[in-house]
Amino acid sequence: MKLHKNPDPKGLDLILQRPVVEEQQLSDLVRPIYEAVKKEGDAAIRRYNKSFDSNNSSEITLDEKEIELAVRLIDSDLAKAIKSAAANIEKFHRAQQSQTTVVETTPGVFCWQKQVPIGKVGLYIPSGTAPLFSTVLMLGIPATIAGCDEIILCTPAKENVVNPEILFAASLVGIKKIYKVGGAQAIAAMAFGTETIPKVSKIFGPGNQFVTRAKLFAQLNGVAIDLPAGPSEVLIIADESADPNFIAADLISQAEHGTDSQVVLISPSEKIIQSVRRRIKEQLKDLPRAEIARAAIANSKAILVSTLDEAMEISNKYAPEHLILNTENADRLSTKVINAGSVFLGQYTPESAGDYASGTNHTLPTNGFAAAYSGVNLQSFMKSITFQSIDKDGLLELGPVVEAMAKAEGLEGHRRAVSLRLQKLQIES
Amino acid sequence: MKLHKNPDPKGLDLILQRPVVEEQQLSDLVRPIYEAVKKEGDAAIRRYNKSFDSNNSSEITLDEKEIELAVRLIDSDLAKAIKSAAANIEKFHRAQQSQTTVVETTPGVFCWQKQVPIGKVGLYIPSGTAPLFSTVLMLGIPATIAGCDEIILCTPAKENVVNPEILFAASLVGIKKIYKVGGAQAIAAMAFGTETIPKVSKIFGPGNQFVTRAKLFAQLNGVAIDLPAGPSEVLIIADESADPNFIAADLISQAEHGTDSQVVLISPSEKIIQSVRRRIKEQLKDLPRAEIARAAIANSKAILVSTLDEAMEISNKYAPEHLILNTENADRLSTKVINAGSVFLGQYTPESAGDYASGTNHTLPTNGFAAAYSGVNLQSFMKSITFQSIDKDGLLELGPVVEAMAKAEGLEGHRRAVSLRLQKLQIES
């Protein structure tokens, strides 16, 4: 963890710079997979399943019996924990439902906006070093609350076996259409559809750089995606009220995601920073994923600042995916957050809580995208449609406004669509 | 307008097929412009202003005096109309403000979602055959209500002159930073920033195919955009209660946008369809933009169906940008709308009203994107940040759930961030 003491504002950009992905090379690797799935459909999926996942089965659709088996096999304490997390996630996302309000903008002119579920959505759940069954909850629950008609799930099946926790979570959420396919080929299948896998309107879910690149291709082909993606990140702002042991644990929990994880600590206290560095070393000693975490920590930054406000300014500039405010009066400081994905306040609010079970979503904007993007929420599975209904009095009032503006924009056809109606109304009256 | 009588559902896809853009060729034309602006900044902007807009001025920023002049020059009736439209747009978008609600998902676990404005946004306003000053209102008003810190506007200046109505609308909305630059070069300038033009986090606004392609490039570079774009569209569902003259006028008002405009009429009445075709011919006779409209109408479709429900099914499949329901009981039919950008109900609700003045936004999803995308609304200028605060009791309750799930996902670091805290709490108590 490299320490930067009171860095010059001009130097901050360099300190906070994120890794840049080799665009062209990645695209060249993903494109042939994409094209093959588009052209050959299921045949390409079977070929990739064989070569990438040692899965020789010709069956792509998961058999419902496999779900039943997984549900029976799951450890009962874990099942209870998953159900408890699911209940919180459901509670938080259900509270995001909005009411339709009719606004009478001019007497007789009624306008409203209605949230309607996206019909077909596809969820991608990776299952490499960490089988992310928690993501099944984070995507599946809001999709169900939104009322999406068709929710499909793709996940890789090494040697034709899908992780049972993923199946348990899917079953709990009510997802029935599960396909055994991973990587860029899964994204392509959902973007174009194959004989077996339906085409969807929006694709959700995390993945490695091939998956995220494939999602960008999908977007270029008119399929919506949840978020552009980058390596996971945490930025912690801490003062002397914080327990260095907690800070170290929070930094490590981020670092263990991947060697490219971004980890930043900002504090007005050098004592805290030094103490956190020592605790990190201690805690890493017996961590199972220590090698991954150590690589990420080696790239991480500690920044010594003069005030907490200065720390917040830097954080807003960085726009972290996760922001932990481990300070006295974290509530007050939190009102100054402008750019962040999800914010954790106080000593007893570790990021892990939001990753799994508090109820907030863990699919969040990385790579500085928090400046313009929201994390996944209920609205991510819906779209707003506007409606308007104008009565005769309304058009008599509004019509001349439209006529004047259409004329000035040189769109006579637009003007006439109103004028013809006004003429009829004048004849009638 | 080609008539398709009760088409076979299998043939519908072909009938409703939209034009496909030559992707590669377009990218090859836009990429050098993009790269030049990225590398050379203002110098490239000045070069393109000279060659594309015959603008030899070295000044890119609009002088405030030009705004003052425009405000003084504008026709007073038009000014009144624009102000009236602006008031409706403001009323409708202000009603979209949301409250922050704290949800206690588990006793002691408090989660909430807060809408925060996007700091820097860029608006692009084209000014070719039709100077779209109405779009200044449609983008500028919600940006102001959202509270965006920096709102910039780029618009082309043929021979160094910006359309005065655009300047009047910008002044009304309160936009002060206006730059004289159009096309793909304007989008690139806002995506990367130049010496003069600031980099923004999100780019809004319509444009020709070069502009929309440049926006896709911006998106690949991490800058958010309002919507992917395609040619403008209207689909009208009408029964015998409709006035064919109104239907013809509404179809033409869409067709006059561009030769690639998509125009579709669906009706259970062949009499209405035939009558509309005759009225279109009549109305086109003296339309200023008749040539453009005629080309679009030549490509347009009339579909004869058996029932209004069948018409609605086809519309939902097509997912039109604008949907006009000119039928008896349009209210009832409107509850069946699943995919559309903006919906207009009844005889006296022409699309023109929403294009200019009723209050709804006219920046809408085209090209079938209404299946997954919303039109621009207040939320387009904001992002949601989630917050959580867990007290000691909350963590004692939630902690074991997080521990169990983190363990099952093989993320021991995540588990420990909780376990360390629970240990401290147990020692304390």
Side-chain angles (χ1 to χ4, degrees):
Chain A
M1 188 162 230
K2 193 169 178 211
L3 175 59
H4 303 268
K5 290 188 190 180
N6 298 300
D8 185 87
K10 284 175 201 157
L12 262 179
D13 279 345
L14 200 66
I15 295 171
L16 296 177
Q17 198 172 40
R18 293 168 163 100
V20 177
V21 179
E22 271 306 328
E23 300 292 331
Q24 198 53 52
Q25 209 183 339
L26 198 51
S27 291
D28 289 348
L29 286 166
V30 171
R31 193 172 293 111
I33 298 176
Y34 220 78
E35 293 298 329
V37 173
K38 187 178 175 183
K39 269 187 212 138
E40 303 168 54
D42 285 349
I45 299 294
R46 290 194 186 95
R47 201 165 62 238
Y48 291 122
N49 276 354
K50 211 170 188 169
S51 59
F52 292 147
D53 294 330
S54 315
N55 178 1
N56 296 317
S57 168
S58 69
E59 199 53 71
I60 297 167
T61 310
L62 187 105
D63 193 309
E64 282 201 25
K65 280 181 194 146
E66 292 178 68
I67 302 185
E68 285 165 29
L69 190 69
V71 171
R72 264 183 288 149
L73 277 180
I74 197 130
D75 171 84
S76 70
D77 282 346
L78 178 60
K80 219 176 121 191
I82 294 176
K83 281 179 186 167
S84 173
N88 286 345
I89 296 165
E90 180 164 349
K91 204 167 179 182
F92 186 63
H93 287 79
R94 208 172 270 287
Q96 291 165 23
Q97 284 173 315
S98 64
Q99 295 294 318
T100 296
T101 315
V102 178
V103 183
E104 192 173 2
T105 55
T106 285
V109 179
F110 305 91
C111 305
W112 63 100
Q113 198 178 222
K114 187 179 159 190
Q115 296 256 344
V116 177
I118 296 173
K120 295 161 192 272
V121 297
L123 317 184
Y124 181 71
I125 305 295
S127 179
T129 56
L132 298 181
F133 61 84
S134 56
T135 304
V136 179
L137 305 181
M138 293 292 177
L139 301 178
I141 291 172
T144 311
I145 298 171
C148 300
D149 232 23
E150 187 164 41
I151 306 170
I152 70 168
L153 189 155
C154 290
T155 192
K158 284 269 175 221
E159 294 173 348
N160 200 25
V161 177
V162 175
N163 173 279
E165 284 85 10
I166 288 179
L167 295 183
F168 175 78
S171 155
L172 185 66
V173 168
I175 298 173
K176 289 185 180 72
K177 294 184 179 174
I178 300 176
Y179 303 99
K180 294 173 172 174
V181 51
Q185 58 275 25
I187 305 301
M190 294 193 277
F192 297 113
T194 71
E195 300 90 317
T196 303
I197 302 170
K199 174 179 165 50
V200 301
S201 301
K202 191 166 182 176
I203 298 173
F204 295 78
N208 60 23
Q209 52 184 354
F210 302 107
V211 168
T212 58
R213 177 55 41 132
K215 281 170 73 185
L216 287 183
F217 279 155
Q219 197 175 32
L220 285 177
N221 281 285
V223 179
I225 64 169
D226 48 358
L227 282 170
S232 195
E233 310 162 345
V234 71
L235 187 149
I236 301 182
I237 297 178
D239 61 14
E240 291 210 351
S241 75
D243 183 330
N245 220 20
F246 294 180
I247 303 174
D250 290 340
L251 292 170
I252 286 175
S253 80
Q254 189 59 52
E256 76 173 344
H257 271 298
T259 54
D260 57 358
S261 282
Q262 303 294 299
V263 170
V264 183
L265 169 63
I266 310 182
S267 178
S269 161
E270 189 168 353
K271 194 179 129 200
I272 280 284
I273 292 175
Q274 298 300 5
S275 178
V276 168
R277 293 168 96 181
R278 284 191 297 273
R279 299 306 177 103
I280 287 176
K281 268 189 199 150
E282 286 166 29
Q283 290 187 24
L284 280 176
K285 276 180 195 155
D286 60 346
L287 187 80
R289 293 167 72 98
E291 218 166 316
I292 294 171
R294 215 167 264 132
I297 295 282
N299 270 322
S300 68
K301 280 100 187 170
I303 302 174
L304 179 69
V305 291
S306 305
T307 65
L308 287 175
D309 278 351
E310 198 188 328
M312 186 53 84
E313 261 176 53
I314 297 177
S315 173
N316 281 329
K317 198 180 164 73
Y318 184 69
E321 180 190 13
H322 303 98
L323 169 61
I324 298 178
L325 303 180
N326 197 336
T327 64
E328 275 189 311
N329 300 320
D331 278 351
R332 202 173 45 82
L333 195 61
S334 78
T335 61
K336 295 178 181 164
V337 176
I338 293 173
N339 296 324
S342 199
V343 187
F344 300 79
L345 311 186
Q347 286 265 54
Y348 291 102
T349 315
E351 190 207 302
S352 303
D355 286 343
Y356 289 110
S358 63
T360 60
N361 211 291
H362 75 194
T363 308
L364 296 165
T366 55
N367 204 31
F369 295 132
Y373 289 89
S374 313
V376 165
N377 55 23
L378 183 62
Q379 275 64 46
S380 310
F381 295 90
M382 308 186 87
K383 72 256 179 175
S384 295
I385 304 178
T386 50
F387 290 79
Q388 59 202 283
S389 177
I390 305 178
D391 64 23
K392 292 176 184 179
D393 289 339
L395 195 67
L396 285 169
E397 181 85 17
L398 190 70
V401 172
V402 178
E403 289 181 304
M405 291 176 73
K407 194 180 163 210
E409 281 196 359
L411 295 172
E412 174 67 9
H414 284 62
R415 193 188 66 74
R416 286 189 194 174
V418 171
S419 307
L420 279 176
R421 285 168 164 97
L422 291 180
Q423 279 157 27
K424 188 166 177 177
L425 287 174
Q426 274 142 14
I427 293 165
E428 272 182 14
S429 67
Chain B
M1 188 162 228
K2 193 168 178 211
L3 174 60
H4 302 269
K5 290 188 189 179
N6 298 301
D8 186 88
K10 284 175 199 156
L12 263 178
D13 279 344
L14 200 66
I15 294 171
L16 296 177
Q17 199 171 39
R18 292 167 164 101
V20 177
V21 179
E22 271 304 329
E23 300 292 332
Q24 198 53 53
Q25 209 183 339
L26 197 52
S27 291
D28 289 348
L29 286 167
V30 171
R31 194 173 291 111
I33 298 176
Y34 220 78
E35 293 298 329
V37 173
K38 186 178 175 183
K39 269 186 211 138
E40 303 168 54
D42 284 348
I45 298 294
R46 291 194 187 95
R47 202 165 61 239
Y48 292 123
N49 276 354
K50 212 169 186 169
S51 59
F52 292 147
D53 293 330
S54 314
N55 178 2
N56 296 316
S57 168
S58 68
E59 199 54 72
I60 297 167
T61 309
L62 187 105
D63 193 309
E64 283 200 26
K65 282 181 195 149
E66 292 180 68
I67 301 185
E68 285 166 29
L69 190 69
V71 172
R72 265 183 287 147
L73 278 180
I74 198 132
D75 171 84
S76 69
D77 281 345
L78 178 61
K80 221 176 118 189
I82 294 176
K83 280 178 186 169
S84 172
N88 287 346
I89 296 165
E90 179 163 351
K91 204 167 179 183
F92 185 64
H93 287 81
R94 207 172 271 288
Q96 292 165 21
Q97 284 173 314
S98 64
Q99 295 293 318
T100 296
T101 315
V102 178
V103 183
E104 192 173 2
T105 55
T106 285
V109 178
F110 305 90
C111 303
W112 64 100
Q113 198 178 222
K114 187 179 157 189
Q115 296 255 344
V116 177
I118 297 173
K120 293 161 193 271
V121 297
L123 317 183
Y124 180 70
I125 306 295
S127 179
T129 55
L132 298 181
F133 61 84
S134 57
T135 304
V136 179
L137 306 181
M138 293 293 176
L139 301 177
I141 291 172
T144 312
I145 297 171
C148 300
D149 232 23
E150 187 164 41
I151 306 170
I152 70 167
L153 189 156
C154 289
T155 191
K158 284 270 175 220
E159 294 175 348
N160 200 25
V161 177
V162 175
N163 173 279
E165 283 86 10
I166 288 179
L167 294 183
F168 176 79
S171 157
L172 184 67
V173 168
I175 298 172
K176 288 185 181 70
K177 294 186 178 173
I178 300 176
Y179 302 98
K180 293 173 172 175
V181 51
Q185 58 275 26
I187 305 302
M190 295 194 277
F192 297 114
T194 70
E195 300 90 318
T196 303
I197 302 170
K199 174 179 164 50
V200 302
S201 301
K202 191 166 183 177
I203 298 173
F204 295 78
N208 60 22
Q209 52 183 352
F210 303 107
V211 168
T212 58
R213 177 53 41 130
K215 282 170 72 184
L216 287 182
F217 280 154
Q219 196 175 34
L220 285 176
N221 280 285
V223 178
I225 64 169
D226 49 358
L227 282 169
S232 194
E233 309 161 345
V234 71
L235 187 150
I236 301 181
I237 297 178
D239 61 15
E240 292 210 352
S241 75
D243 183 330
N245 220 20
F246 293 180
I247 303 175
D250 291 340
L251 292 170
I252 286 174
S253 80
Q254 189 59 52
E256 76 172 345
H257 270 298
T259 54
D260 57 357
S261 282
Q262 303 293 299
V263 170
V264 183
L265 169 64
I266 311 182
S267 178
S269 161
E270 189 169 353
K271 194 179 130 198
I272 280 283
I273 292 175
Q274 298 300 5
S275 178
V276 168
R277 294 168 95 182
R278 283 191 299 272
R279 300 305 177 102
I280 287 176
K281 268 189 198 147
E282 285 166 29
Q283 290 186 24
L284 279 177
K285 275 180 195 157
D286 60 345
L287 188 80
R289 293 167 71 98
E291 218 167 316
I292 294 171
R294 214 166 265 132
I297 294 283
N299 270 322
S300 69
K301 279 101 189 170
I303 303 174
L304 179 70
V305 291
S306 305
T307 63
L308 287 175
D309 279 350
E310 198 189 327
M312 187 53 85
E313 261 176 53
I314 296 176
S315 173
N316 281 329
K317 197 179 166 75
Y318 184 69
E321 180 191 14
H322 304 98
L323 169 61
I324 298 177
L325 303 179
N326 197 337
T327 63
E328 276 190 310
N329 300 319
D331 278 351
R332 201 173 47 82
L333 195 61
S334 79
T335 61
K336 295 179 182 164
V337 176
I338 293 173
N339 295 324
S342 198
V343 187
F344 301 78
L345 311 186
Q347 286 266 53
Y348 291 101
T349 315
E351 191 207 303
S352 303
D355 286 343
Y356 290 109
S358 63
T360 60
N361 211 290
H362 76 194
T363 308
L364 296 165
T366 55
N367 204 29
F369 296 132
Y373 289 89
S374 313
V376 165
N377 55 23
L378 183 63
Q379 275 65 48
S380 309
F381 295 89
M382 309 187 85
K383 71 257 181 177
S384 295
I385 304 178
T386 50
F387 291 80
Q388 60 201 284
S389 178
I390 304 179
D391 65 22
K392 292 177 182 177
D393 290 339
L395 195 67
L396 285 170
E397 182 84 18
L398 190 71
V401 172
V402 178
E403 290 181 303
M405 290 176 75
K407 193 179 164 210
E409 281 195 357
L411 294 172
E412 174 68 10
H414 284 63
R415 194 188 66 75
R416 286 188 193 174
V418 171
S419 307
L420 278 175
R421 285 168 164 96
L422 290 180
Q423 279 157 26
K424 189 167 176 177
L425 286 175
Q426 275 142 13
I427 293 164
E428 271 182 15
S429 67

